[in-house]
Amino acid sequence: MSSLQLLNPADWAVPRGYSNAVVAPAGRRLLAVAGQIGWLPDASMISPQEGEDAFVAQFGQALENVATVVKTAGGDVTDVMSLRLYVTDKQRYLQHTRELGQIYRRVFGKHFPAMALIVVAGLLEDAALVEIEALAAIP
């Protein structure tokens, strides 16, 4: 269980699916996770399952990749302080929020770090539709 302090000002509306700020306790190491895309361990791009949207498949794999890097560093997803999601299509993101939420809860449970969603014209890897980077405070 993480000892991160999730902060949301008392007089603000409760955010849905994220926290407004996160404070790491003293003695933690900061881990900056590079932007992760829908690559499998062999560096090939994930293929969607039958009937699954490529954006959804890539989001899931990118999020799993973030979790794998954090765990490799000795942490857990509950040590993630912030996520930055870069997407190439805002409408596609909004169209699939239910599926993306299910994937998020499968990987991160009910841990909601500070988050930002940034719409970009494109990503370095031409086939990438989403890229996720993270900051974690590892014990």
Side-chain angles (χ1 to χ4, degrees), residues 7-16 18-21 114:
L7 297 176
N8 293 298
D11 58 341
W12 287 15
V14 176
R16 199 168 157 212
Y18 68 96
S19 294
N20 283 295

Side-chain angles (χ1 to χ4, degrees), residues 16-17 55-56 59-60 63 85 93-112 115:
R16 199 168 157 212
F55 181 89
V56 173
F59 175 87
L63 201 60
L85 291 76
Y93 175 88
L94 293 172
Q95 185 178 39
H96 295 288
T97 55
R98 172 169 278 169
E99 297 103 316
L100 300 178
Q102 291 170 344
I103 291 167
Y104 182 90
R105 286 185 298 281
R106 179 177 47 79
V107 179
F108 272 69
K110 293 185 183 234
H111 175 65
F112 300 109
M115 290 189 213

